[in-house]
Amino acid sequence: MESLIDGFGRRFRYLRLSVTEVCNFRCTYCLPDGYRKTAGPAFLGVEEIGRLVSTFQRLGIEKVRLTGGEPTVRKDIGQIIARVAEVPGIAKVAMTTNGWNLDRHVASWRAAGLTNLNISIDSLDPQAFARLTGHDRLDQVVAGLDQALAIGVPTVKVNAVLLRDSLENGFTDFAEFVRRRPVAVRFIELMRTADNAAYFADQHVSGERLKTWLAQEGWSARARASDDGPATEYGHRDFAGRIGLIAPYGAGFCDGCNRLRVTAQGLLRLCLFGQGGVNLRDLLAVDAGEGASDLLAARIAQALTGKTQGHDLASDQAGDTRNLSQFGG
């Protein structure tokens, strides 16, 4: 098996694959006015995704995360999960979802091969949840999470964006949430994008606030696995679950980068906050030819030589990322 290693010695084992830009929530930090369709090619089909993942697996990718937008708005998301899961060598098939229909479909997704599930829950206060997302669905989302645990989804995590408005009770509420649930809640620092400058200035809070709270409450950092994302997770002997932090503005955040991104239209993104990308789609077509997979592997490896050491978020440079639904965060 070949390996994907960039010019800074970082090895890539993790692919984040957006399957749609569509999202049915209106989160204040991402799509406050809702999704607006733009002109462009159709999203990757099931077989295109299968060919893409197979080639990435040849290059050492072991974990694939399906993202959006909201990936479950696709009616064929179960087929996509199954197609990725059947690729030999893919050990983990993950998905990030807002959980809007989780309670209805998680069993079928698990049966299709889903192994890792991340659910976005930015507040455990029903009114705050509705205000942040535009939907009064907190109870339904939590019910879906609990069902995922009950049917044995191996890894279940919660993503919560760290916001000034939700600081007051957010840490203690989520700590109680994981007291008996074997779930990791990861707070994510709000990130600056092209569309959220004013919101960012009003709501951004440093992850140091969470670190201070965790230290005061007796939580300690846990070791990271080689295919983990960028979170540092903390455990406590009195809690079944964990609390984590994703701090893109922290020192050295990009040093351990282990993931690449492909957009819903087949564009390879070397960094969430980069510019442009490398088109892979012409080599994913059914009529691309017998050597298409080799050409695709070569194109991916060549593209990696252009990966930079880190992003420029500290300088308010978000690349051409308009909002996080565009590439799946």
Side-chain angles (χ1 to χ4, degrees):
M1 181 187 295
E2 303 170 65
S3 294
L4 287 171
I5 301 176
D6 71 2
F8 304 96
R10 297 173 295 196
R11 182 176 178 183
F12 297 86
R13 298 182 172 90
Y14 177 11
L15 174 66
R16 295 180 63 97
L17 174 60
S18 175
V19 297
T20 182
E21 292 183 3
V22 180
C23 187
N24 54 351
F25 275 25
R26 301 188 302 275
C27 294
T28 54
Y29 51 83
C30 185
L31 290 175
D33 299 320
Y35 171 73
R36 297 288 187 270
K37 185 175 181 179
T38 57
F43 302 133
L44 293 174
V46 175
E47 289 308 313
E48 288 177 302
I49 288 170
R51 287 188 280 273
L52 177 78
V53 171
S54 294
T55 299
F56 268 103
Q57 193 282 325
R58 282 179 47 196
L59 294 170
I61 293 296
E62 300 165 352
K63 176 180 178 180
V64 176
R65 176 171 300 281
L66 304 174
T67 68
E70 170 51 42
T72 69
V73 300
R74 284 193 59 155
K75 294 180 179 180
D76 59 355
I77 188 63
Q79 295 171 259
I80 293 172
I81 292 169
R83 184 66 182 87
V84 174
E86 74 182 16
V87 175
I90 296 299
K92 296 179 180 179
V93 181
M95 183 167 67
T96 297
T97 175
N98 60 29
W100 71 286
N101 61 359
L102 189 61
D103 56 339
R104 288 183 289 150
H105 297 294
V106 66
S108 65
W109 296 335
R110 172 64 182 139
L114 187 71
T115 64
N116 295 56
L117 180 65
N118 286 17
I119 306 160
S120 297
I121 305 176
D122 292 313
S123 176
L124 290 170
D125 175 82
Q127 290 183 335
F129 181 91
R131 184 174 65 253
L132 287 167
T133 66
H135 291 274
D136 183 14
R137 287 178 175 263
L138 177 62
D139 289 346
Q140 183 178 343
V141 173
V142 173
L145 181 151
D146 286 334
Q147 186 175 346
L149 292 174
I151 67 172
V153 175
T155 301
V156 179
K157 297 182 179 182
V158 170
N159 294 338
V161 176
L162 189 57
L163 300 171
R164 189 178 303 281
D165 282 351
S166 56
L167 270 185
E168 186 174 354
N169 299 313
F171 299 159
T172 53
D173 286 351
F174 276 108
E176 285 304 311
F177 188 79
V178 302
R179 184 177 290 277
R180 293 182 175 82
R181 290 181 175 93
V183 169
V185 173
R186 293 100 51 78
F187 287 91
I188 306 170
E189 278 188 343
L190 179 65
M191 290 173 271
R192 172 80 157 80
T193 63
D195 289 351
N196 75 351
Y199 189 92
F200 178 86
D202 181 60
Q203 290 294 319
H204 179 260
V205 179
S206 170
E208 293 299 319
R209 295 281 293 273
L210 176 61
K211 286 184 179 180
T212 299
W213 184 88
L214 290 167
Q216 291 172 344
E217 299 296 321
W219 294 72
S220 56
R222 306 282 292 271
R224 293 177 66 246
S226 63
D227 65 350
D228 279 348
T232 299
E233 293 187 354
Y234 297 76
H236 191 295
R237 64 183 181 182
D238 296 333
F239 295 81
R242 301 178 302 283
I243 293 179
L245 172 65
I246 299 175
Y249 291 88
F253 177 76
C254 298
D255 293 352
C257 184
N258 64 350
R259 57 208 176 280
L260 297 172
R261 292 173 172 82
V262 173
T263 73
Q265 292 89 4
L267 195 70
L268 173 63
R269 296 275 299 193
L270 300 176
C271 177
L272 176 59
F273 297 103
Q275 294 276 359
V278 177
N279 183 31
L280 307 179
R281 194 161 198 177
D282 60 308
L283 296 174
L284 298 176
V286 67
D287 59 355
E290 188 174 336
S293 181
D294 291 338
L295 292 172
L296 181 60
R299 187 179 295 178
I300 294 166
Q302 176 60 35
L304 200 57
T305 64
K307 185 168 173 63
T308 58
Q309 189 168 11
H311 58 61
D312 291 319
L313 281 177
S315 302
D316 288 335
Q317 300 298 315
D320 56 6
T321 301
R322 298 189 310 275
N323 54 65
L324 295 179
S325 73
Q326 191 179 357
F327 306 126

